[in-house]
Amino acid sequence: MSAASAVDRFDVASLQQKFGDDILKVKVESDDVFVCVNRSQIAKVLEFLKTEPDLDYTYFVECLGADYSTWPHQRDLTERFEVIYNLYSVKHRTRLFVKVGADDGQKVPTAKNVFLGADYPEREIWDLFGVVFEGNEQTERFLLPEDWSGHPLRKEYPLGGEDVTFHEGAEGPAIEDLQQPHTGESFEGKTSSRDVSGR
Amino acid sequence: MSTTEFKAPSSATFERISENTMVVNMGPQHPSTHGVLRLIIELEGETIVQCKCVIGYLHTGMEKEAEYQTYHKCTVMTDRIDYLNANGNNLAHALAVEKLLGCEIPKRGQYLRVMLAELSRIASHCIWLGTHALDMGAMTPFFYIMQQREMVLDMFEIFSGVRMMPSWIVPGGLRGDMPEEFETRLRKFLIEFPKELQVVENMLVENPIWKERTQNVGVLSAQEALELGCSGPIARASGVAFDLRKSAPYSSYEDFDFDIPVGKVGDCYDRFLVRIAEMKESCKILQQAIDNLPSGPYNSEDRKATPPPKEEIDTSMESLIHHFKHYTEGFHPEVGEAYAGIEGSKGELGFYVISDGSNKPYRWHERPSSFMNLKSLEVLAIGKLLADVIAIIGSIDIVLGEIDR
């Protein structure tokens, strides 16, 4: 209901008219409209969506990251990471998803200056994925502890536990007994002192 | 880990604006920060010039964990995200996964879901009202309203056996039907609760101290609220008539007759009034839901999404297979991505699920309402007094479980 109308109301058409080739792909999936945009244009696209009275996407719902490095199927974008902006028009009751792609080392222009609310999610994406936002570069951890290394939501980052101190005084990770049922369900059997806690 | 080397910050994580100021640290173990929120506040005299939220003390990596769990196991984690509005989280997650599965829930199931979600909203608002008043020095409302919350939690216990984390709304429907005792308790509650709420309301609405502390404190304009990503009661108090139950009805909300309370000023007092009015609207929805509750099945007919009824297992081979597959392997949604947003107690609460066709989500993300609402604190605190920050935190209604995840 919300989504089909975003196409019906020519929101996507006016975006294509304004930005031309920078609109890479338009996808409608289970009633949601996804517009893939050239990374360098994202701030301008968001600004246009927000200020154009016919579109009026004034409500910034959120943005989130996704790591597609182990994705086995067809993709919308070629880059490793995707940042998905979720916008809503309160006036027209339509929702629109705008996607950009970024590889390691590529910067996405920040949306903070268009929507102030983008500040926190962008920091979170940097913290958990390592995607850098140009204009909102961070030097400190946001959700993770200060001494954490790596970006845990990347696919190659193992799911591990914290090191524990055993009653003999030895310290180390709680290694799973591979003979037990449910082995690998939570720890994937990959726990070792170095790989585990990220510290 | 050798992914990306991270350089630890050399000094404190706070940059002063000017020299003749005092920096005050508040939290993470401060009762009025509602959990483990830490604020670093820069004061010039008694006026705040800068406020910074430091979060992450409760980060448990649920989004990573979810990528290793089947969809059913993910349901259990959703309760723990916003633990005051557990049924709302269950509902949002179930809707997102059902969107991927493409399965329809019968009307009875949808009504039961609405009832659980609205009761959760009442319980969550009760906590907010009690603690917000407690922060401002009004102790009595806390006792009255917590008693009512207990009644709601008792009803959850009758329904599911669990008080706070029912996990009762699952992809494909519900875990079980409504017990008979629940209906009698709910009807009793719907008579008593408005009276009890009125008692608390009388204590606060015209209370001069309460008004002094909350009126014209933390005024947020409609445009600012939307730009910051604020939703729910905060946006509505600022005059945005936006409620996903009306603008994009899910789970049969279009069947119910209720109003959206909207504020005028956008201050802490308006947010208080909006939430009080919302509780009354929730009661209206609950009354209609229990009166018009349809009979029939409450679960989806799709055997890939829901386990077959227990009695079928003895007679049907297919049912036995479905039952076994359901609990050992789970289901495999289509490849794709889906977002479902609901009106939670604190604002828009959504789940973004990306499926690669396996029985575990490829990416599982919650749109956290408290997290997005929190940014407004940094904006609202500037130019206010330290005591006002307490009022603003209370009126934003944050849950740190949802902020840190």
Side-chain angles (χ1 to χ4, degrees):
Chain A
M1 117 200 65
S2 59
S5 53
V7 175
D8 297 344
R9 291 195 330 100
F10 307 110
D11 291 2
V12 176
S14 54
L15 265 179
Q16 275 165 331
Q17 199 189 349
K18 168 93 179 169
F19 291 96
D21 290 343
D22 286 324
I23 306 295
L24 304 172
K25 190 182 172 184
V26 177
K27 176 176 90 167
V28 181
E29 195 175 297
S30 55
D31 287 354
D32 290 329
V33 183
F34 298 86
V35 181
C36 301
V37 183
N38 195 334
R39 185 175 60 251
S40 58
Q41 297 295 315
I42 182 64
K44 284 175 197 152
V45 168
L46 294 177
E47 179 83 51
F48 178 73
L49 285 167
K50 180 186 158 191
T51 49
E52 190 74 12
D54 289 345
L55 306 177
D56 204 54
Y57 286 93
T58 47
Y59 169 34
F60 178 80
V61 184
E62 66 162 351
C63 61
L64 68 139
D67 177 9
Y68 278 93
S69 56
T70 56
W71 184 254
H73 309 283
Q74 220 185 344
R75 287 273 316 274
D76 301 331
L77 293 154
T78 48
E79 290 90 346
R80 176 179 172 178
F81 298 104
E82 275 182 17
V83 180
I84 303 152
Y85 298 81
N86 182 346
L87 303 175
Y88 193 84
S89 165
V90 174
K91 198 162 118 197
H92 303 299
R93 299 184 169 189
T94 50
R95 195 182 287 282
L96 189 69
F97 295 92
V98 183
K99 278 183 172 192
V100 294
D103 274 321
D104 241 341
Q106 290 177 334
K107 288 184 178 179
V108 181
T110 178
K112 196 172 86 170
N113 304 322
V114 186
F115 296 106
L116 188 55
D119 182 24
Y120 274 15
E122 281 178 1
R123 282 200 229 171
E124 184 193 319
I125 294 168
W126 175 78
D127 203 11
L128 301 176
F129 288 98
V131 176
V132 181
F133 288 88
E134 202 175 355
N136 194 14
E137 290 94 344
Q138 297 297 318
T139 52
E140 66 198 58
R141 286 288 175 173
F142 191 47
L143 289 175
L144 296 165
E146 259 175 51
D147 55 349
W148 199 271
S149 65
H151 302 286
L153 276 182
R154 291 184 174 212
K155 285 287 173 187
E156 77 272 12
Y157 200 100
L159 183 74
E162 288 277 323
D163 279 9
V164 285
T165 311
F166 298 102
H167 62 271
E168 295 96 351
E171 245 182 71
I175 294 171
E176 276 202 301
D177 184 352
L178 293 174
Q179 304 304 315
Q180 292 296 316
H182 302 291
T183 295
E185 271 186 9
S186 58
F187 286 91
E188 296 280 294
K190 278 184 212 162
T191 51
S192 79
S193 221
R194 256 179 313 129
D195 292 348
V196 180
S197 72
R199 290 185 198 231
Chain B
M1 279 310 302
S2 56
T3 42
T4 314
E5 279 309 310
F6 175 72
K7 212 168 124 262
S10 52
S11 60
T13 57
F14 188 77
E15 269 175 51
R16 283 179 172 221
I17 291 179
S18 64
E19 296 223 325
N20 301 321
T21 52
M22 186 168 78
V23 177
V24 175
N25 179 67
M26 205 169 112
Q29 306 295 348
H30 190 282
S32 72
T33 55
H34 293 226
V36 284
L37 172 68
R38 180 179 165 209
L39 299 176
I40 308 176
I41 296 168
E42 191 177 350
L43 291 163
E44 195 171 336
E46 246 195 286
T47 316
I48 293 163
V49 290
Q50 196 191 171
C51 170
K52 194 183 161 191
C53 303
V54 183
I55 61 171
Y57 293 94
L58 212 59
H59 181 64
T60 42
M62 286 187 193
E63 292 185 5
K64 181 77 176 175
E65 182 76 34
E67 289 170 14
Y68 292 80
Q69 309 287 356
T70 57
Y71 287 93
H72 261 292
K73 290 182 181 174
C74 291
T75 306
V76 185
M77 274 192 285
T78 59
D79 297 80
R80 274 88 185 155
I81 291 177
D82 178 356
Y83 41 81
L84 300 181
N85 181 34
N87 284 309
N89 290 35
N90 294 162
L91 177 57
H93 175 246
L95 289 174
V97 177
E98 278 156 15
K99 211 167 172 181
L100 283 169
L101 283 168
C103 70
E104 272 285 311
I105 308 300
K107 272 279 176 191
R108 183 178 174 85
Q110 295 190 7
Y111 273 52
L112 290 174
R113 284 176 168 198
V114 166
M115 279 156 63
L116 285 173
E118 290 305 320
L119 280 172
S120 247
R121 185 190 316 280
I122 291 177
S124 169
H125 281 0
C126 284
I127 283 268
W128 155 79
L129 183 55
T131 51
H132 185 29
L134 204 57
D135 288 347
M136 318 289 277
M139 202 171 222
T140 323
F142 182 78
F143 299 111
Y144 281 81
I145 208 73
M146 287 303 272
Q147 203 178 10
Q148 293 308 305
R149 177 178 180 256
E150 241 6 77
M151 301 292 164
V152 179
L153 296 188
D154 280 354
M155 277 190 273
F156 289 157
E157 196 174 356
I158 291 168
F159 212 116
S160 66
V162 189
R163 289 168 74 247
M164 276 180 75
M165 319 280 175
S167 299
W168 209 247
I169 302 171
V170 289
L174 293 109
R175 276 182 206 258
D177 205 353
M178 182 183 78
E180 261 173 41
E181 198 196 338
F182 178 82
E183 191 182 335
T184 42
R185 286 290 283 267
L186 179 62
R187 287 192 188 279
K188 208 172 130 214
F189 175 77
L190 288 173
I191 297 166
E192 278 172 13
F193 179 70
K195 289 183 204 157
E196 292 291 328
L197 186 62
Q198 193 60 47
V199 172
V200 179
E201 228 184 305
N202 293 345
M203 289 178 199
L204 296 172
V205 173
E206 291 301 326
N207 185 327
I209 305 170
W210 181 260
K211 279 177 152 179
E212 194 77 14
R213 288 294 302 271
T214 54
Q215 279 186 342
N216 290 317
V217 171
V219 180
L220 192 66
S221 75
Q223 194 203 346
E224 263 183 320
L226 291 176
E227 270 177 28
L228 283 164
C230 294
S231 50
I234 300 180
R236 285 195 286 278
S238 301
V240 187
F242 167 59
D243 189 319
L244 280 171
R245 291 175 291 176
K246 284 272 188 207
S247 57
Y250 51 89
S251 196
S252 291
Y253 265 109
E254 65 275 11
D255 294 0
F256 303 108
D257 174 35
F258 63 101
D259 299 319
I260 311 174
V262 176
K264 284 186 187 132
V265 189
D267 56 2
C268 293
Y269 188 69
D270 268 11
R271 276 168 233 147
F272 158 75
L273 291 181
V274 162
R275 286 201 182 92
I276 293 275
E278 254 179 40
M279 284 199 256
K280 293 176 184 165
E281 294 304 318
S282 288
C283 287
K284 259 162 81 178
I285 297 173
L286 281 165
Q287 190 69 56
Q288 292 168 48
I290 194 76
D291 287 343
N292 306 321
L293 185 66
S295 53
Y298 58 91
N299 264 349
S300 159
E301 290 295 308
D302 186 356
R303 285 282 167 264
K304 295 279 177 259
T306 41
K310 276 274 176 347
E311 42 303 348
E312 243 179 58
I313 296 171
D314 297 336
T315 52
S316 153
M317 186 67 198
E318 286 77 20
S319 292
L320 186 64
I321 294 169
H322 279 309
H323 177 88
F324 183 72
K325 277 283 184 192
H326 186 81
Y327 286 110
T328 53
E329 195 181 314
F331 44 78
H332 297 249
E334 295 281 302
V335 178
E337 49 204 302
Y339 174 85
I342 68 155
E343 190 65 36
S345 64
K346 291 158 191 74
E348 179 174 348
L349 173 62
F351 273 89
Y352 198 103
V353 182
I354 302 176
S355 160
D356 60 350
S358 72
N359 58 349
K360 293 165 188 169
Y362 187 79
R363 170 92 172 99
W364 187 86
H365 171 82
E366 193 217 0
R367 191 267 171 192
S369 31
S370 295
F371 178 73
M372 297 300 290
N373 291 346
L374 183 66
K375 179 74 189 169
S376 64
L377 176 64
E378 287 182 7
V379 179
L380 292 176
I382 294 167
K384 293 280 179 296
L385 305 176
L386 190 58
D388 292 339
V389 172
I390 311 292
I392 296 169
I393 295 174
S395 76
I396 292 175
D397 188 18
I398 49 169
V399 158
L400 268 296
E402 197 181 22
I403 290 170
D404 295 340
R405 281 155 291 144

